[in-house]
Amino acid sequence: MKNRNGIFWGLFLLLSAAILVVSQLHLITYTFSFWTIIATIFLVAVLVKSLVYFSISGTVFSLAFLGILYAKPLGITAIVPWTILGAALLITIGLSMILNPLLNRHRPWMRYRKAFTRGHRGPFFSYEYKSEPDMKTIDEPDVDVYVKMGNSVRYVKSDDFKTANIDVNMGEAKVYFDHVTVKDTAIINVNVSLGGAELYIPSNWNIIKGVNNNMGNITEDGVRNVDEDSPDVTISGLVSLGNLKISYI
C-alpha cells in the first residue's frame, strides 16, 4: 500500500505541475479562473487516487465533476449538471456489477481466502435501506462480508479472531465484533463504495486506522478504554463516495 501511495502522490504532483504550466502559458484559448484550477487539481487528485485503488465510483464521478467544471469549453452545457450526474450514477452501477468481481482480486487491502482455504468466509452520498436486513452469525477466525445493493447485519463470534474482509457496494452493512477475542493482533479490511458500513468495536481494542478516504465520510462514536493489555487491531482499506462509522462499545 505504501508503494501505491507513492505512485498516487507522484502522479498527482506531475499532473498538478502540468495543469499549472499549461494555465500560465495560455496554451489553451479558454480562460480559467484561479478557483477553477484549484478545483481541477483536487478532482484530478481524486481521479488518480481512484485509478490507483481501482475505485469505479471515484473514477466515474471525478470525471463527471470535471465535465461539469469544463462544460463550456467542451460544449456540453446542455447536459449539465443533472444529466451527466445521472449518467455517472448509471455507469457506476453498471461497471460495478460487471467489474467488481474481477477488481476484488487485485485490491491490495482485500485478501480473500474463500477460493483457497476451506471454511473461511462521506458527506457526498448517504444511504438508508428500509428493507429487512439479512442477519447472520459467523463463528470463524477469518470472516468475509459481501454486501451489494442490500442491507446486512453480521454478528462475529470467535475465540481467536484474525481477519475480516468487509466489502460494501451500494448497500449497508453492520458488523458486530463484541463477542470475539483477539489473542495477539487482527486486521479488518474495508472497501465501501456508494454505501455505508458500521463497525461495532470493543472499546478496549487498540485501533490502528489506515483507511484511505476518497470523497467519503469516516466517523467514530463512543469512548475508548485502551490499556497495555489491549490487542492491536488494524482497520485498513478504502471508503469511496460512502460512509464508514466506527462505534466503540
Side-chain angles (χ1 to χ4, degrees):
M1 184 172 296
K2 290 181 179 179
N3 182 50
R4 289 180 175 269
N5 282 329
I7 294 173
F8 161 68
W9 286 111
L11 291 174
F12 169 64
L13 292 173
L14 290 174
L15 288 172
S16 299
I19 293 171
L20 289 175
V21 170
V22 170
S23 64
Q24 293 302 314
L25 291 178
H26 304 288
L27 297 178
I28 302 176
T29 56
Y30 186 81
T31 303
F32 303 104
S33 68
F34 171 77
W35 292 111
T36 299
I37 296 174
I38 295 299
T40 300
I41 292 175
F42 170 75
L43 289 172
V44 169
V46 173
L47 175 61
V48 173
K49 190 169 187 178
S50 299
L51 291 172
V52 170
Y53 285 93
F54 306 107
S55 171
I56 295 174
S57 58
T59 300
V60 173
F61 274 93
S62 58
L63 288 173
F65 285 119
L66 282 170
I68 294 172
L69 194 62
Y70 292 96
K72 188 173 181 180
L74 292 175
I76 57 173
T77 55
I79 62 171
V80 296
W82 300 116
T83 300
I84 196 169
L85 288 177
L89 179 60
L90 294 175
I91 291 172
T92 298
I93 295 173
L95 289 179
S96 296
M97 296 178 69
I98 295 171
L99 298 179
N100 263 349
L102 298 175
L103 293 178
N104 284 338
R105 302 176 188 174
H106 304 288
R107 288 188 173 110
W109 54 88
M110 300 297 284
R111 298 179 175 88
Y112 297 116
R113 304 183 181 183
K114 182 183 293 186
F116 305 99
T117 307
R118 184 178 180 182
H120 288 179
R121 306 291 183 245
F124 293 89
F125 295 88
S126 62
Y127 297 85
E128 183 177 356
Y129 293 87
K130 299 298 184 180
S131 60
E132 191 70 21
D134 173 28
M135 304 179 68
K136 184 179 180 181
T137 299
I138 305 175
D139 190 356
E140 296 282 350
D142 299 282
V143 177
D144 287 337
V145 178
Y146 306 96
V147 180
K148 179 178 290 186
M149 301 182 71
N151 185 0
S152 295
V153 178
R154 295 291 183 265
Y155 300 95
V156 182
K157 293 184 178 181
S158 176
D159 294 329
D160 188 15
F161 173 68
K162 297 294 185 181
T163 306
N165 296 314
I166 301 170
D167 192 350
V168 182
N169 184 13
M170 291 177 288
E172 183 175 300
K174 294 183 178 180
V175 185
Y176 292 81
F177 295 93
D178 51 327
H179 288 91
V180 305
T181 300
V182 178
K183 293 185 177 180
D184 188 12
T185 62
I187 299 175
I188 300 175
N189 302 304
V190 296
N191 174 39
V192 182
S193 177
L194 286 170
E198 186 166 358
L199 310 180
Y200 292 87
I201 303 294
S203 60
N204 65 332
W205 284 5
N206 180 31
I207 298 298
I208 303 170
K209 295 184 290 294
V211 182
N212 288 279
N213 186 1
N214 187 4
M215 298 178 69
N217 184 35
I218 302 175
T219 59
E220 295 180 79
D221 183 42
V223 180
R224 302 175 66 179
N225 184 24
V226 180
D227 55 36
E228 59 182 11
D229 296 325
S230 297
D232 292 334
V233 178
T234 301
I235 301 179
S236 62
L238 175 66
V239 177
S240 179
L241 293 169
N243 301 284
L244 172 64
K245 183 177 180 180
I246 303 173
S247 297
Y248 299 104
I249 55 178

